[in-house]
Amino acid sequence: MPTRAVAGPVSSTDFRIMTIRSNLSSAVGNTPLLRLNHASSLTGCEVLAKAEFLNPGGSIKDRTALGLLLDAEQRGLIRPGGTIVEGTAGNTGIGLALIGASRGYRTVIFMPDTQSREKIDALRIAGADVRLIPAVPFSNPQHYVHVARAHAGQLNEAKPGSAWFANQFDNTANRDWHENTTGPEIWDQTHGKIDGFVCSAGTGGTLAGIGRALKARNPHVKIALSDPTGSALAHFITHGELLAEGNSISEGIGSSRITENFKDAPIDLAWSIPDQESVPLLHQLLRDEGWCVGGSSGVNIAGAIRLARELGPGHTVVTVLADAGTRYQAKLFNPALLHEKAIPVPDWLEHAFPG
């Protein structure tokens, strides 16, 4: 999105040139690349991460929401004043609600009732009509994605053209947007000196899109999947079949199926990451480096460390800090729950929430 630089009289404490964003959509993306100091020193590599929690809606899914909505507008799939309908674990819904409101749309979100209270509240604050659905397998017709699709169909039957189902999992405008924006940002920010990229997958749009963009510029860049236990994707990449084992407290990542966005993603390596490995990394990142990030970011950091060790010292590895840890306070920073799940609890967290 275009920006304009404005110069004028300033005080000694002002910036001499200010970048003005004309609307919410133009504030999405162009996030900074952060050095993860602990991961870098641990591996002898430069381990970097895109600070996606700095997007206006607080997550990388703002990019997904914007890409899907712009594509729908360009193709005439949504009309002015129409209704956006989506099935989401939360973050894409938040992005759609905020960006949609700024562009004149209302939003109806169907999501599993197992998601964090913080995300449910954030959706409602953003103005979305939130419908909580019992968590069931994708094969069940009552799965939140199927219910969302059916609701959009009902709205269009009553008033043709009044609703648009965003379909983030299988609408490849998701992947294409990351291929055209997020991937090139990473390439430019590293000046093309990147040896590997790794992140988790839910819809698969981020990993597939960024992977395609980087491989197009340098086919030797290694692309890796960092998958939480309980997801079937890592086993699929490694063994060619969908098989899930274990479980995870992470939200919004992992899958039991191959989405259209994930299909044909150029993935070289994949790992299944247990909570006992990923959660302590996000605790360490907060305590020692000040970045408060969510569970998927812990999975991503664990994958970045594994990929860096696979490549060896001296390489540059990039991952994603997808959203903020404050959206998962009741899980990630709850000593009682962490003890119950056999996840190490740092002393400072025990002291912060005694008893």
Side-chain angles (χ1 to χ4, degrees), residues 245-270:
E245 296 180 329
N247 55 70
S248 173
I249 64 173
S250 299
E251 295 184 19
I253 56 173
S255 183
S256 61
R257 68 185 182 98
I258 303 302
T259 67
E260 288 300 315
N261 280 295
F262 188 83
K263 187 184 295 183
D264 301 323
I267 301 171
D268 300 300
L269 300 161

Side-chain angles (χ1 to χ4, degrees), residues 24-25 69 82 84 94-107:
L24 184 68
S25 298
L69 188 49
I84 300 167
I94 293 168
L96 285 169
L98 292 172
I99 297 170
S102 75
R103 301 174 80 88
Y105 307 112
R106 64 183 298 268
T107 305

Side-chain angles (χ1 to χ4, degrees), residues 281-292:
L281 287 170
L282 65 87
H283 289 156
Q284 178 278 326
L285 186 68
L286 174 57
R287 183 64 174 178
D288 295 343
E289 302 183 49
W291 302 113
C292 182

Side-chain angles (χ1 to χ4, degrees), residues 151-169:
H151 181 71
Q154 291 164 5
L155 292 177
N156 283 323
E157 284 181 12
K159 186 178 180 181
S162 63
W164 166 66
F165 174 52
N167 195 20
Q168 62 168 326
F169 290 90

Side-chain angles (χ1 to χ4, degrees), residues 49-327:
K50 284 286 274 179
E52 293 301 308
F53 58 89
L54 295 179
N55 279 302
S59 84
I60 194 168
K61 293 300 187 176
D62 289 359
R63 293 182 186 262
T64 300
L66 180 60
L68 293 172
L69 188 49
L70 289 179
D71 178 73
E73 289 177 340
Q74 290 165 3
R75 294 167 59 196
L77 301 178
I78 187 167
R79 297 178 182 177
T83 298
I84 300 167
V85 181
E86 181 60 315
T88 169
N91 280 334
T92 302
I94 293 168
L96 285 169
L98 292 172
I99 297 170
S102 75
R103 301 174 80 88
Y105 307 112
R106 64 183 298 268
T107 305
V108 180
I109 297 297
F110 292 82
M111 69 185 297
D113 58 9
T114 54
Q115 300 306 290
S116 73
R117 173 55 56 185
E118 294 89 344
K119 282 196 294 187
I120 296 170
D121 290 345
L123 270 165
R124 288 176 171 152
I125 290 169
D129 177 356
V130 181
R131 317 279 182 92
L132 298 178
I133 301 295
V136 296
F138 186 78
S139 58
N140 189 316
Q142 294 305 306
H143 186 274
Y144 65 97
V145 170
H146 303 318
V147 176
R149 187 193 307 271
H151 181 71
Q154 291 164 5
L155 292 177
N156 283 323
E157 284 181 12
K159 186 178 180 181
S162 63
W164 166 66
F165 174 52
N167 195 20
Q168 62 168 326
F169 290 90
D170 295 304
N171 182 346
T172 55
N174 173 356
R175 179 196 66 200
D176 295 345
W177 188 253
H178 285 289
E179 183 174 0
N180 293 328
T181 62
T182 323
E185 281 180 36
I186 291 171
W187 181 264
D188 291 343
Q189 287 173 311
T190 58
H191 304 288
K193 296 179 180 178
I194 174 173
D195 301 294
F197 175 80
V198 57
C199 76
S200 53
T203 67
T206 299
L207 182 59
I210 293 174
R212 286 158 64 106
L214 295 176
K215 288 280 194 182
R217 289 160 173 79
N218 179 1
H220 299 295
V221 175
K222 294 292 184 182
I223 305 299
L225 166 68
S226 191
D227 207 30
T229 52
S231 171
L233 297 179
H235 195 274
F236 176 80
I237 295 298
T238 304
H239 301 289
E241 63 174 342
L242 288 166
L243 177 66
E245 296 180 329
N247 55 70
S248 173
I249 64 173
S250 299
E251 295 184 19
I253 56 173
S255 183
S256 61
R257 68 185 182 98
I258 303 302
T259 67
E260 288 300 315
N261 280 295
F262 188 83
K263 187 184 295 183
D264 301 323
I267 301 171
D268 300 300
L269 300 161
W271 299 284
S272 182
I273 307 290
D275 289 343
Q276 290 76 12
E277 179 180 347
S278 64
V279 176
L281 287 170
L282 65 87
H283 289 156
Q284 178 278 326
L285 186 68
L286 174 57
R287 183 64 174 178
D288 295 343
E289 302 183 49
W291 302 113
C292 182
V293 296
S296 65
S297 298
V299 174
N300 291 348
I301 296 168
I305 291 171
R306 290 195 185 200
L307 181 56
R309 285 173 168 160
E310 178 83 17
L311 295 174
H315 292 87
T316 296
V317 171
V318 177
T319 189
V320 168
L321 302 182
D323 64 2
T326 49
R327 286 194 172 158

